[in-house]
Amino acid sequence: MSDASREPPGPDEAEAPTTVPTTVPTAEALAEAWRKRFGDDVSSEETFGGLAVGVPPEVWLDALAFARDELSCGFFDWLTGVDELEDGFAIVVHVYSLERRHHLLVRTRVPRDEPRLPSATGLYRGAAWHERETFEMFGVVFEGHPDLKPLLLPDGFEGHPLRKDFVLAARVAKSWPGAKEPGESGGGAPSRRRVRPPGVPEEGAWAAAAERARQSQPARRRAPDAGRPEGRAPDA
């Protein structure tokens, strides 16, 4: 039977519509969408495969909702923090659009003396563990989190290890590895100034502990020259 002689399909036999792939939006188009929604409150820059957007903490949840609902970024990838010293802590989220195939970084900054931010768990359930990790590593409190407690560190641990002012205890209790200071290798001029291991302050209890640990280390012998048995004088 030819196609011309076929009867039109009935209501239960209607052909399914053809799905047309969605075009990947450009970084310029994404940036314009953010400007239309939030005006001058946001900043943006192009990244590989998408856009990075900076927003004030007051619109943090609105920005994430906009990314999920208006830009189709329903896939939550990760959330983390960055210690920016006197500028506070940057909080960064990476989300992705499975439908439109583009990446998006949304970031904000909270002050160092009061690091608080609304929890994103109401929008992305996958943010729960990431916020717990950021809370214990940086000390950022995510208000409204259903179970904000330590995730990785042992009970009773004090401090936030990923803050840049956190002193690593291992660097105080154990000598810093690598090349020794001039004058400590068995030859050469004496050292004019000993350098503390990275992260150990020059004064205070940590510095005193580092000095005691250094003094308790046994003196190291100089390694013999290659190709000459130990104890034999070099040839004249």
Side-chain angles (χ1 to χ4, degrees):
M1 183 181 295
S2 64
D3 293 341
S5 61
R6 291 180 60 185
E7 296 182 358
D12 296 335
E13 301 175 352
E15 297 180 359
T18 302
T19 301
V20 179
T22 303
T23 302
V24 179
T26 64
E28 293 79 6
L30 291 172
E32 181 61 24
W34 282 94
R35 283 192 295 268
K36 287 183 177 180
R37 173 62 176 83
F38 295 96
D40 295 334
D41 290 338
V42 301
S43 60
S44 62
E45 61 178 322
E46 185 175 356
T47 61
F48 179 77
L51 191 74
V53 180
V55 301
E58 295 78 18
V59 298
W60 177 244
L61 294 185
D62 291 338
L64 295 181
F66 177 73
R68 185 193 66 176
D69 301 335
E70 302 298 329
L71 302 181
S72 303
C73 294
F75 179 81
F76 175 89
D77 190 10
W78 49 259
L79 176 150
T80 191
V82 180
D83 186 350
E84 298 185 342
L85 298 176
E86 64 273 6
D87 291 332
F89 299 99
I91 305 300
V92 187
V93 164
H94 176 245
V95 291
Y96 180 72
S97 173
L98 297 174
E99 297 84 359
R100 305 175 69 184
R101 303 188 301 280
H102 69 89
H103 299 264
L104 183 64
L105 289 173
V106 185
R107 59 196 181 195
T108 190
R109 185 180 289 113
V110 293
R112 193 174 192 85
D113 57 347
E114 191 66 22
R116 293 180 176 274
L117 199 65
S119 173
T121 52
L123 296 169
Y124 295 104
R125 294 179 61 186
W129 281 19
H130 298 255
E131 290 183 347
R132 286 174 58 187
E133 180 185 14
T134 305
F135 164 66
E136 68 177 344
M137 293 296 173
F138 293 94
V140 178
V141 177
F142 292 91
E143 297 176 331
H145 191 286
D147 190 27
L148 195 62
K149 62 184 181 182
L151 178 67
L152 303 173
L153 299 176
D155 294 340
F157 189 92
E158 297 182 0
H160 306 288
L162 292 188
R163 288 192 176 193
K164 292 182 179 179
D165 58 1
F166 182 82
V167 178
L168 297 179
R171 294 182 177 178
V172 175
K174 182 179 179 181
S175 298
W176 185 250
K180 298 175 70 64
E181 289 293 306
E184 295 181 342
S185 59
S191 173
R192 292 175 300 200
R193 178 179 180 269
R194 296 190 182 278
V195 179
R196 296 286 183 197
V200 178
E202 294 291 336
E203 299 179 353
W206 287 104
E211 184 63 22
R212 290 194 299 270
R214 186 194 64 79
Q215 293 178 356
S216 65
Q217 296 294 324
R220 298 183 180 180
R221 298 180 60 188
R222 183 180 180 181
D225 294 340
R228 178 173 59 85
E230 186 176 0
R232 179 182 174 183
D235 297 334

